Amino acid sequence: MSARAQAATAARSEPAALAADPILTVEHLTMRFGGLLAIDDLSFSAERGQITAVIGPNGAGKTTVFNCLTGFYKPTEGMITMRHADGASFLLERMDDFRIARSARVARTFQNIRLFPGMTVLENLLVAQHNTLMRASGYTLAGIFGLAVYRKAERKAVERARYWLDKTGLLERADDPASDLPYGAQRRLEIIRAMCSQPLLLCLDEPAAGLNPAESDELNRLLRDIRDHHDTSLLLIEHDMSVVMGISDFIVVLDYGEKISSGSPHFVRNDPKVIAAYLGIDDEDAGTGGAP
Amino acid sequence: MEYFVQQLINGLTLGSIYGLIAIGYTMVYGIIGMINFAHGDIFMIGAFVALIALIAIGLTAGAGLVIVILALLLALLIAMALTAIYGWTVERFAYRPLRTSFRLAPLITAIGMSIVLQNFVQVTQGARVKPLQPIVTGGYEIMRTTTEHGEFIVLVSNIQILIILTTVLLMAVFALIIARTPLGRAQRACEQDRTMAALLGINVDRTISLTFVIGAALASVAGLMYLLYYGVIDFFIGFVAGIKAFTAAVLGGIGSLPGAMLGGLIIGLIETFWSAYFTIEYKDVAAFSILVVVLIFMPSGLLGRPEVEKV
Amino acid sequence: MAAGPAPALAAAPAHSLRAGIIDALIAAFIALAIAAPIIGLRTVSLEGGLALTTRWGAVAIAVAVVFAGRLALTLLWWPRHKPARRDSAGRRLLARARDSGLAERAMLLLAPALLIFAIALPATPFADRYVLDIGILVLTYIMLGWGLNIVVGLAGLLDLGYVAFYAVGAYSYALLATHFGLSFWICLPLAGFLAAMWGLILGFPVLRLRGDYLAIVTLAFGEIIRIVLLNWYDLTNGPDGISRIPRPSFFGLEFDRGEGGFAAFFGIGYSSDHRIVFLYYLILALALLTNFVTLRLRRLPVGRAWEALREDEIACRSLGINTTATKLTAFATGAMFGGFAGSFFATRQGFISPESFVFLESALVLAIVVLGGLGSQIGVVIAALVMIGGFELFREFEQYRMLVFGFAIVLIMVWRPRGIIASRTPSIFLKERKSIGAESVGEGRG
């Protein structure tokens, strides 16, 4: 994304916020549903090793952006590029959803949690490691004869699951069906399930929705930990500004499918355009206030 | 050309019968989202009740036009009333207890009810085919050509006219019921959201029961038509006709009433034309193949609402 | 036919005698309307057309039975049983815990007990030809049920045309054996392979359909295959079927009186029962193979992916699982076992015709899977034993047994909507294996 392209849009941006090593670049993304223009010529990028947030009031088109990124929708126009650290790059708008997860290594969570309710917590985490285990099981053939190579891979997969369960305090619930977990734990489980697929970019769709303050804090710790100690960058959607201000490195603000601002939390918070469009009220609430 | 016209007429007649049965499938699917596998057998029951009613009335072949019409009307009313009770009972006995259960349970009880109804009729009425002497006879010649093979006459028989007219009439009445009456409104509300409908004071149980009653009544009309048209029925006709009608409902887009009629007509036409121009043995294969091809390209059928995948 | 459990009517003070009688009278009236035309008036063929004979006595009996049955239900049965069923969530939870606990303990004991019984059956004194024939039949349906369980129970794909693969297996063996003289042991894997291929061919275009659309298309494919078998005279001999299909041999030893026969080789007297016993063990081994492979697959990534697919297809795709390939493997694996069972059927009967592969068979196998409890291996065994075994036991009541059979399906389903064994066993555990109640387990949408 060039500075010129940036200037062409009406959005104000913080000049220093231009990405140096973007893991994800979205250019001129447009999505139309019939007559409805859900996303209008959106461009932004997410820096490797950072937490990038896309915020905007309800109905701003945030989830649609995610669905385009992860292949559940095919965008009407635009280019979405995922760059791995080794230089490999993927044009996500041309890939099937499961290939985006498998090859481009983009994982996601859902606004209304999508677990495998009738499977145990541990099973949920093993399904997430499907492709690794599939290879280890020799595409089932080696597994059927119970070869050691598969048993070893499965042990490793269970170890990875145990690591994440331990980190999120879910170890005790490992053998319970996912549907028996309380809501906050289900949210965490969905996140660590996505982490078990070892993504390079993790997209979280309103991860804090419905959480109480304590759970929200815990979530923030988890997300920071993922950023700092794992090879995974984060992209998250929120409509609640207070959640993202504390943990985001970079924020993109959407309204009616258009980008109205982008930059550091500090910049965005003080952008009059954001305050006008997003909060519609006076300055003071912009720092702490939630969505209307 | 003449041959084509004749097949067109035959196909429309058959399609009308399929369409009448298909409405029952599509209505039930629309309102409770289940495949009522016993519906084909309800159609068979309708044909049997009509047959018994006609024999009981004692109509003879030489009766006058007015008598024939009155007798048919009477048999139709008896068949509709009694078959409707069958439809109601099946819903009450086999489906309502499973209303809140999971999807496959009512499907299995429907298969069970289908077995029950077939064998009930087989046990009580015998397995042999039941022939009925033609009651509605005669017809009109609409085209005539002479070729080197001889004369070819395109005929519309009175029974064909009767079937097509009745179907059109019933469809019109039915469309009115759905569009204008409180029952139709309740039905559409239940289709959209059953819980919300119940919260708004709609008697969901009664609405669903009435759906089955209407579906069964229409199927019994189809049963009488089938009986008059082919002149022979047995306890197994429900299976084949049921599967065809269900195919028609899915082809037209299950849940859509015009779709059911359209699907019925298409299946009827395909079968007739395939039998006329190709091989009669493979007419069902042709009908099923069209279904598969249509569904591959239009996964919700011809007039069905596309299913939106919510992420 | 009684008007079934009726919450609406029963909600009225069910213990009150007057209400009970009125309710029973209504039921009796409905029974009268149902019975009067079909039971009361029987069409008989006379010269010059049909006539009616009356059987009002039978109608009266039917109506009386419905009246008495309904009255007994409202006055005696429901007051005692209904409250327990529609109770507080807590009690339901308790009942559920007791239920699944019982089922678990029963399963632990039942499976080995049934296995020992199955292995020992031919050696028991009452195992005559008739019993073994029923055993073979039940085992065939168990195997079919286990095969279909992969598709419907694990992957959550509703397949109403499973009998097509059974037919492919049977005709593959019959044609290969009669035309090329290939032995059963070569044909068996070939038949399984061919059925699996057909599973892929049929599955590929249709697996993006969901739910009931998939159901009707699989039903249509089942019918297409049957109609083709019926009409492709040159290959299948049409409705006359294929006869004189070779019987299987015991490692090359035929079951006949001749020199190189099984009996002569082992130096025992010839008995026609040897073949029956051999067939019995053959289908037992095939069924156990199906079970073993299924249980193994469940613990492999592919099996977990099947179950995950049943639970939530979109979540699967977000985790990088190729759902089309996963569905196809489920379809093909199920088809393969159907194919094995089909070749066994052909070699056991020695004669096959399209008549054996009608929709009713698909429906029956599906009913066994659902009645047993989706995804439950032992449930399939119980359902097959009850349904097929029970059906065969009432052979004398030829006319009525299908009627009773249909009613049994309905009643079992109403009694236990999630099947006889309504819990899922996790495929892996860290500390403790807890079974999962059916309320949590998905049923698939595709």
Side-chain angles (χ1 to χ4, degrees), chain C residues 74-164:
Chain C
T74 39
L75 294 186
L76 304 173
W77 180 262
W78 277 330
R80 255 186 288 160
H81 293 84
K82 205 72 181 186
R85 212 195 273 174
R86 36 167 66 198
D87 212 35
S88 66
R91 273 241 202 127
R92 252 204 327 266
L93 218 66
L94 252 176
R96 180 187 131 201
R98 197 186 52 216
D99 244 29
S100 60
L102 250 178
E104 238 169 286
R105 247 178 299 148
M107 244 189 292
L108 282 179
L109 288 176
L110 195 61
L114 279 174
L115 182 62
I116 291 168
F117 173 73
I119 292 172
L121 180 69
T124 53
F126 59 86
D128 54 10
R129 210 190 155 114
Y130 172 66
V131 168
L132 283 182
D133 270 337
I134 293 183
I136 290 173
L137 194 67
V138 169
L139 281 170
T140 312
Y141 277 99
I142 289 176
M143 179 166 176
L144 285 172
W146 277 340
L148 185 62
N149 208 2
I150 294 175
V151 184
V152 183
L154 294 185
L157 304 166
L158 184 49
D159 183 354
L160 287 177
Y162 191 59
V163 77

Side-chain angles (χ1 to χ4, degrees), chain B residues 29 86 103 124-125 296 307, chain C residues 34 38 41 208 212 443:
Chain B
Y29 189 88
Y86 270 89
R103 184 168 64 100
T124 52
Q125 298 290 330
I296 287 170
E307 200 174 332
Chain C
I34 282 172
I38 303 284
L41 298 167
R208 69 191 197 98
D212 303 293
E443 44 175 319

